[in-house]
Amino acid sequence: MSFPPLPVGLLIRPLALPDLPGLLEVQRTCYGDGYVESAEVFAQRIACPAQCSLVLEAQGRVLAYLAAYDSVQGKVTRLHGDFELQPQPDTLYLHDLAVLPELGGQGVAARLLRTFWQAAQGRGLQRAALVSVQGSLAMFAIWRWGSE
């Protein structure tokens, strides 16, 4: 899949502590309160060397994020859980992906996934996995994520 350059002012970059208020806003908007993970949980994840999460931001505002970490096949972080450093990671796990509705249909999720996967391959990982919730399996199937 080929993408034109991001519009001026939009930037994909690693998730950082100052992004947490914006990330929580995106979570609440996309999921409601039932799936919101706390700033404390995300702060712990950011401190973990295994994490490789990304944000899409414009002028300091988080518009989308992808929470992810290097792990081993079958070792999945539960909701509200900490990412854990594995000595020999072999799988890139996508924990969460959320895009503000105002950016829906603009390829933002696909751009985040492509950036995420290219970085993983650069670290030598050849497999990616996720746990699909809230009926999202059809969306991930578009990018050839299968089910087990």
Side-chain angles (χ1 to χ4, degrees), residues 3 13 42-43 74 88 90 94 99 135:
F3 299 101
R13 59 169 177 72
F42 270 97
Q88 302 266 327
D90 63 12
L94 169 58
V99 178

Side-chain angles (χ1 to χ4, degrees), residues 74-91:
K75 177 74 173 138
V76 179
T77 299
R78 69 189 190 292
L79 189 66
H80 310 293
D82 293 337
F83 295 165
E84 296 178 23
L85 184 62
Q86 300 296 320
Q88 302 266 327
D90 63 12
T91 302

Side-chain angles (χ1 to χ4, degrees), residues 27 37 55 73 85 111 113 116 122 132 134 139 142:
Q27 272 191 339
E37 295 181 292
V55 295
Q73 187 172 15
L85 184 62
R111 286 173 187 267
L113 285 166
F116 159 79
S132 174
Q134 292 188 316
M139 180 193 75
I142 292 170

Side-chain angles (χ1 to χ4, degrees), residues 50-69:
Q51 80 89 25
C52 51
S53 303
L54 302 171
V55 295
L56 175 86
E57 61 110 340
Q59 300 174 340
R61 179 179 177 222
V62 175
L63 304 171
Y65 70 90
L66 184 152
Y69 58 102

Side-chain angles (χ1 to χ4, degrees), residues 15-57:
L15 174 67
L17 286 173
D19 298 319
L20 295 183
L23 180 146
L24 294 175
E25 179 184 328
V26 172
Q27 272 191 339
R28 276 190 202 88
T29 301
C30 292
Y31 303 140
D33 291 331
Y35 283 93
V36 171
E37 295 181 292
S38 71
E40 292 78 18
V41 166
F42 270 97
Q44 289 174 328
R45 291 174 180 168
I46 289 170
C48 178
Q51 80 89 25
C52 51
S53 303
L54 302 171
V55 295
L56 175 86
E57 61 110 340

Side-chain angles (χ1 to χ4, degrees), residues 122-144:
R123 293 189 306 277
L125 299 179
Q126 296 300 310
R127 177 179 30 240
L130 60 85
V131 175
S132 174
V133 298
Q134 292 188 316
S136 62
L137 189 56
M139 180 193 75
F140 287 107
I142 292 170
W143 296 298
R144 297 190 177 100

